[in-house]
Amino acid sequence: MNLVDFIGLGFFLIVFFGYQRIAQIVGRGKNVNALMHQTRRVWMQRLMERPDRIVDAALTGHTVNSMSFFSSATILVVAGLLGVLGKAADAQSVLAGWTFVTHSTATIFQLKLIGLIAIFVYGFFRFTWALRQYNYCCALIGAAPLAKNDYPHRLELADQMAIVYTSALTAFGGGIRCYYFGLAWIAWLVDPLAFIAAILGILIVLLRRQVYSHSHVAIRRFVELNPPEEMKPDDRA
């Protein structure tokens, strides 16, 4: 590994683990994730007012299916990469025949494969943690007081449910990003400069979706037109 490899690896670690902070800074606290938390607060507040929660149950069921799918898919990806690691010499010989690939030793090639496996293992843990938190959120929704009950802390309960929901989807989003950055890591097998370019390209794509997309504009306007109710100091007592 040369200096460019180490620069690329350092850049990857900063972007991979610091993406949420970067998105907050670029979006000035108004990125899609932050706005969607406000939207979930509104949702939970409306849920507390509805006597019939069939729609809410259908929406939560759809999300849990997506989490389960990606958890299973990630296990298959890890299994496939372990198979490639077992045939690392053959895989390296194939890449060595490509003229645009920067050649490396067998040990470095295996370490890069192990790093790619580690990314998807991390993603699997993120998906499973998201699924567990989502189950917690479903329990909170099921235990929410009925609309006919005059419960004094409805807004605070709704905020707590929204926090757990957002935490679950934040973990889910972290697992999804493992697929994006896994593609950038694959570029490292070709060339360290391609690795750096891929990281930068993926970062730009993700930030654009979070801050400059049409969805961001629409969601931000939605929150402006339909903001969540805020608790008064005496509501927390």
Side-chain angles (χ1 to χ4, degrees):
M1 293 179 64
N2 53 35
L3 179 61
V4 181
D5 287 302
F6 284 108
I7 292 175
L9 180 59
F11 184 41
F12 177 87
L13 294 176
I14 292 173
V15 174
F16 184 72
F17 291 106
Y19 170 78
Q20 288 185 322
R21 182 59 179 168
I22 295 172
Q24 289 177 353
I25 295 174
V26 174
R28 298 178 181 179
K30 294 294 184 180
N31 55 30
V32 170
N33 289 341
L35 294 172
M36 285 304 301
H37 175 65
Q38 300 302 316
T39 304
R40 293 184 196 103
R41 289 181 61 200
V42 175
W43 177 12
M44 295 305 160
Q45 290 172 2
R46 300 296 181 269
L47 177 145
M48 302 286 286
E49 301 170 356
R50 283 195 286 267
D52 186 356
R53 297 168 181 173
I54 296 177
V55 174
D56 306 292
L59 292 174
T60 53
H62 171 75
T63 307
V64 74
N65 290 334
S66 298
M67 293 180 180
S68 300
F69 168 79
F70 276 101
S71 297
S72 302
T74 305
I75 283 294
L76 296 178
V77 172
V78 171
L81 290 173
L82 288 174
V84 175
L85 182 62
K87 297 291 185 179
D90 296 336
Q92 186 185 17
S93 64
V94 172
L95 291 178
W98 299 350
T99 57
F100 57 87
V101 174
T102 301
H103 301 297
S104 61
T105 63
T107 302
I108 295 300
F109 181 78
Q110 291 174 349
L111 288 175
K112 290 179 180 179
L113 284 178
I114 293 173
L116 186 59
I117 293 171
I119 292 172
F120 284 99
V121 169
Y122 175 80
F124 173 75
F125 277 98
R126 296 293 287 175
F127 285 131
T128 52
W129 175 228
L131 189 58
R132 292 195 64 182
Q133 290 186 94
Y134 198 76
N135 289 331
Y136 302 154
C137 185
C138 290
L140 296 179
I141 292 174
L146 299 176
K148 62 182 180 181
N149 293 336
D150 187 18
Y151 189 75
H153 303 296
R154 289 182 176 276
L155 293 182
E156 186 172 0
L157 284 182
D159 281 355
Q160 299 308 313
M161 289 189 290
I163 289 172
V164 177
Y165 207 142
T166 296
S167 180
L169 292 180
T170 298
F172 181 66
I176 293 292
R177 285 195 298 274
C178 289
Y179 281 83
Y180 287 97
F181 287 106
L183 294 175
W185 191 277
I186 291 175
W188 196 12
L189 301 176
V190 177
D191 184 78
L193 292 178
F195 180 40
I196 296 174
I199 298 169
L200 184 60
I202 288 173
L203 178 62
I204 292 173
V205 169
L206 294 178
L207 289 178
R208 180 187 177 279
R209 293 177 179 179
Q210 281 286 322
V211 182
Y212 301 109
S213 64
H214 296 297
S215 295
H216 172 264
V217 175
I219 295 171
R220 183 170 184 173
R221 183 57 179 162
F222 178 91
V223 173
E224 291 173 352
L225 295 174
N226 189 31
E229 300 179 48
E230 299 295 337
M231 290 183 293
K232 299 177 182 178
D234 53 349
D235 292 335
R236 300 177 182 270

